[in-house]
């Protein structure tokens, strides 16, 4: 099954690449690797703000991370010239805006990782880091960056 068909079956429409909010580019390609800049969580086109363990539960954070994965795939599609050119998702790094005693960063990040696996199959299984941070730009609850190998 094609990547486009999997996305269609999941009811996912990829968004356009977001305009950077600061002095960076959305992605850099070097050789067969594409590095995507951090994408913050959005809900209904607006920053999905909140702090896990303070005013957000793990399940909501996981949903936010899934939304970030959709935005990342939109950028990756442009960077690679189509998602069918993705050989492998290599690495995901997730920053979770969290209270000092919150310890479920890995479960929040699963929202992104599980969707990438669902869309890309074995090629979507990746190395990963998940960190808790005191704050993310614009108060977003999650920010995720990604590295992919492409043809």
């Amino acid at each position: 099954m094609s990547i486009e068909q999997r996305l269609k079956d999941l009811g996912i429409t990829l968004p356009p690449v977001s305009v950077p909010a600061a002095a960076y580019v959305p992605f850099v390609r070097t050789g067969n690797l594409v590095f995507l800049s951090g994408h913050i969580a959005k809900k209904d086109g607006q920053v999905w703000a909140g702090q896990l363990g303070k005013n957000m539960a793990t399940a909501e954070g996981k949903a936010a991370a899934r939304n970030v994965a959709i935005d990342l795939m939109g950028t990756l599609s442009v960077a690679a010239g189509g998602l069918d050119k993705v050989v492998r998702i290599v690495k995901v790094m997730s920053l979770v805006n969290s209270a000092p005693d919150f310890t479920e960063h890995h479960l929040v990040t699963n929202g992104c990782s599980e969707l990438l696996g669902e869309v890309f199959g074995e090629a979507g299984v990746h190395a990963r880091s998940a960190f808790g941070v005191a704050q993310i730009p614009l108060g977003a609850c999650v920010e995720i960056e990604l590295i992919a190998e492409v043809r």
Side-chain angles (χ1 to χ4, degrees):
M1 180 184 303
S2 73
I3 300 297
E4 281 186 30
Q5 187 59 52
R6 284 189 195 134
L7 291 171
K8 192 176 285 188
D9 290 348
L10 292 166
I12 294 172
T13 301
L14 296 180
V17 177
S18 296
V19 175
Y24 64 92
V25 293
F27 62 86
V28 170
R29 181 172 177 169
T30 181
N32 290 340
L33 293 177
V34 174
F35 294 78
L36 301 187
S37 293
H39 285 50
I40 61 173
K42 295 179 187 167
K43 185 176 187 179
D44 301 323
Q46 301 298 313
V47 174
W48 196 333
Q51 191 170 52
L52 279 291
K54 181 178 180 185
N55 58 9
M56 260 183 127
T58 300
E60 187 179 5
K62 183 176 179 179
R66 183 182 190 281
N67 279 11
V68 175
I70 293 168
D71 284 347
L72 286 165
M73 286 188 285
T75 301
L76 182 57
S77 181
V78 170
L83 291 180
D84 56 316
K85 294 186 178 175
V86 173
V87 174
R88 173 167 204 102
I89 304 299
V90 176
K91 173 120 190 219
V92 165
M93 188 181 81
S94 173
L95 304 172
V96 178
N97 182 351
S98 56
D101 59 346
F102 184 77
T103 60
E104 295 185 336
H105 312 91
H106 60 296
L107 299 177
V108 168
T109 305
N110 280 349
C112 176
S113 296
E114 290 170 0
L115 182 59
L116 292 173
E118 200 170 350
V119 171
F120 292 101
E122 189 62 31
V125 178
H126 51 270
R128 185 179 93 176
S129 299
F131 301 96
V133 296
Q135 198 50 260
I136 292 174
L138 307 175
C141 58
V142 180
E143 179 175 351
I144 302 175
E145 62 181 51
L146 180 147
I147 303 169
E149 179 186 1
V150 298
R151 292 189 274 262

